Amino acid sequence: MYLFTTAFLVLTTSTIQYVSSDCGCSTNRNTDCKNDLNPSHKYLKESNEIRDNNDELFSASNMVFLEKSTFEMGTNKPVFESDDEGPLRNVTLNSFYIDKYEVSNREFYDFVKETGYRTEAEIFGDSFLFEMCLPEEDRDKYQDLRAVQAPWWIKMKGVSWKHPEGPNSTIEDLMDHPVIHVSWNDAVKYCDYKGKRLPTEEEWEMACRAGLRQKLYPWGNKLTPKGQHWANIWQGEFPKSNTAEDGFVFTSPVDAFPPNKFGLYNMAGNVWEWTQDNWKNDPDTKVKKGGSFLCHESYCWRYRCAARSSNTKDSSASNLGFRCAADKIRS
Ligand SMILES: *[C@@H]1O[C@H](CO)[C@@H](O)[C@H](O)[C@H]1NC(C)=O
Ligand SMILES: *[C@@H]1O[C@H](CO)[C@@H](O)[C@H](O)[C@H]1NC(C)=O
Ligand SMILES: [Ca+2]
Ligand SMILES: [Ca+2]
């Protein structure tokens, strides 16, 4: 049922040790892995301006229209050969709309309220939780539930989009954060209800690149131009310490960090985003794009536009969400 084909398999288990030193969330370890470290909003003026306007953030047609165009997809300098990041090729796409933001908890909450929808994690009764969210003294209890090749994931009962950081956590203070612990099947249902659909991988990557040619990131080639953070990823040593220099140990609000030139937020980092496409022709495994707050250059340099990874379509985790696309906006 759950299969991590991704990212996390590149580290061998021998390099992973659990030490009791600072893992990056010590400030609030016992209260569900809260983000209270210097939010990057403090110094990213642009994101503050948007955040003041919540109507805009949660309005129904919060999408960007992208004209029919040709763009260069992929790369001839793949970082992960086995992910099929290459080759560089021209792809022509018809016009489409795409959500400015990852789907937020508030939006998903409204959807559930209106439809009574239950996610697969709720039906299965568990989801993959990143261990940092648990109090350190509890982590040993869950040895048997760790993913073999990625032991920092714990398949945890009671974790779902409503309880994203542990069975006793809530989304109360995370309404503007991306919904997580949603499967591909859940994402398809949500977009469909909104009269939308998931983006194809090509659409997603075109949107990520925002008109820039052969750049690594949605904003260019430098990770931190002007000494600022442009995405929510991992700083420090994975998986032991997250210094959260970008302001966030865990997810960030969907409108944190500057948008790319198309006005799209968090294409790189924060949470991985499901796309429509099959991974290597397997209809049960879907392509996800963009990397997440858990990505670090040392083991998962996948917050590049060309990077790609996958999960089985019924799987869910702490770092996987989505945004929708559409051919037309419902009026
Ligand atoms: C894509 O098309 C443009 C314009 O025709 C061309 O300059 C470029 O070399 C092409 N890129 C690739 C990878 O074929
Ligand atoms: C959740 O809360 C219950 C009741 O307070 C407690 O018994 C349980 O250990 C908590 N679970 C976790 C994972 O913290
Ligand atoms: Ca971060
Ligand atoms: Ca993202």
Side-chain angles (χ1 to χ4, degrees):
M1 181 193 342
Y2 293 97
L3 179 63
F4 277 82
T5 53
T6 60
F8 307 106
L9 304 186
V10 294
L11 250 197
T12 60
T13 44
S14 63
T15 62
I16 300 152
Q17 286 182 328
Y18 292 92
V19 294
S20 58
S21 65
D22 176 29
C23 84
C25 52
S26 55
T27 44
N28 236 330
R29 199 187 292 287
N30 296 324
T31 55
D32 304 327
C33 197
K34 287 283 184 284
N35 289 302
D36 55 355
L37 297 159
N38 305 318
S40 58
H41 297 91
K42 271 190 198 161
Y43 55 88
L44 294 176
K45 185 163 166 283
E46 217 166 337
S47 27
N48 275 326
E49 283 163 3
I50 298 283
R51 282 184 54 71
D52 289 343
N53 185 351
N54 268 356
D55 291 345
E56 142 81 5
L57 179 53
F58 299 122
S59 81
S61 62
N62 220 327
M63 303 188 91
V64 167
F65 178 74
L66 301 179
E67 299 277 0
K68 176 175 172 150
S69 68
T70 299
F71 79 108
E72 285 180 318
M73 180 164 178
T75 175
N76 285 336
K77 296 178 199 153
V79 175
F80 299 99
E81 297 263 3
S82 62
D83 288 353
D84 296 344
E85 294 178 1
L88 186 73
R89 70 270 188 195
N90 272 317
V91 171
T92 299
L93 294 176
N94 285 325
S95 62
F96 64 100
Y97 292 84
I98 189 162
D99 287 348
K100 282 188 194 170
Y101 310 105
E102 295 153 337
V103 172
S104 67
N105 279 322
R106 177 178 305 282
E107 291 168 309
F108 203 81
Y109 175 85
D110 289 344
F111 160 67
V112 166
K113 210 167 59 179
E114 287 161 25
T115 60
Y117 185 77
R118 287 182 74 217
T119 59
E120 291 198 287
E122 289 167 282
I123 292 164
F124 293 141
D126 54 38
S127 186
F128 277 96
L129 182 72
F130 189 63
E131 66 150 18
M132 204 175 67
C133 293
L134 294 174
E136 205 162 312
E137 57 275 19
D138 286 354
R139 290 180 196 168
D140 287 347
K141 286 188 218 157
Y142 301 103
Q143 287 304 351
D144 296 346
L145 301 174
R146 292 175 187 274
V148 175
Q149 282 160 300
W152 46 87
W153 287 109
I154 296 174
K155 191 173 159 194
M156 183 81 150
K157 277 203 174 27
V159 170
S160 70
W161 73 277
K162 277 191 257 188
H163 307 292
E165 298 170 0
N168 293 339
S169 69
T170 73
I171 55 169
E172 208 176 329
D173 299 328
L174 301 170
M175 284 310 225
D176 58 354
H177 286 234
V179 65
I180 52 177
H181 301 294
V182 282
S183 67
W184 184 87
N185 294 317
D186 298 330
V188 166
K189 291 274 169 33
Y190 174 92
C191 293
D192 187 54
Y193 180 74
K194 295 283 175 186
K196 303 180 188 179
R197 58 175 173 78
L198 285 177
T200 63
E201 181 181 8
E202 291 176 342
E203 288 171 339
W204 193 99
E205 188 165 328
M206 187 271 216
C208 183
R209 294 182 177 281
L212 299 179
R213 273 191 78 191
Q214 295 176 36
K215 299 290 192 230
L216 293 171
Y217 308 119
W219 56 85
N221 274 336
K222 271 187 77 177
L223 182 59
T224 54
K226 299 179 196 159
Q228 291 191 353
H229 291 281
W230 290 66
N232 182 12
I233 54 171
W234 182 290
Q235 293 89 33
E237 193 188 336
F238 187 88
K240 289 191 288 188
S241 73
N242 186 345
T243 59
E245 274 166 42
D246 59 22
F248 301 95
V249 172
F250 200 61
T251 56
S252 56
V254 297
D255 61 345
F257 304 97
N260 70 10
K261 288 201 163 128
F262 287 167
L264 305 171
Y265 290 76
N266 289 295
M267 294 300 286
N270 207 21
V271 290
W272 282 101
E273 301 174 25
W274 288 113
T275 72
Q276 268 186 31
D277 292 45
N278 295 337
W279 175 260
K280 304 188 179 185
N281 299 318
D282 173 3
D284 292 328
T285 306
K286 301 294 179 181
V287 174
K288 61 179 183 179
K289 294 285 275 184
S292 81
F293 64 91
L294 292 179
C295 283
H296 185 273
E297 185 171 346
S298 67
Y299 83 107
C300 174
W301 188 19
R302 286 190 173 83
Y303 38 91
R304 294 167 293 115
C305 293
R308 54 206 301 272
S309 192
S310 67
N311 277 98
T312 54
K313 66 184 187 184
D314 60 0
S315 61
S316 60
S318 299
N319 65 339
L320 179 50
F322 66 104
R323 78 181 69 210
C324 308
D327 300 316
K328 290 193 184 111
I329 292 189
R330 188 194 278 174
S331 53

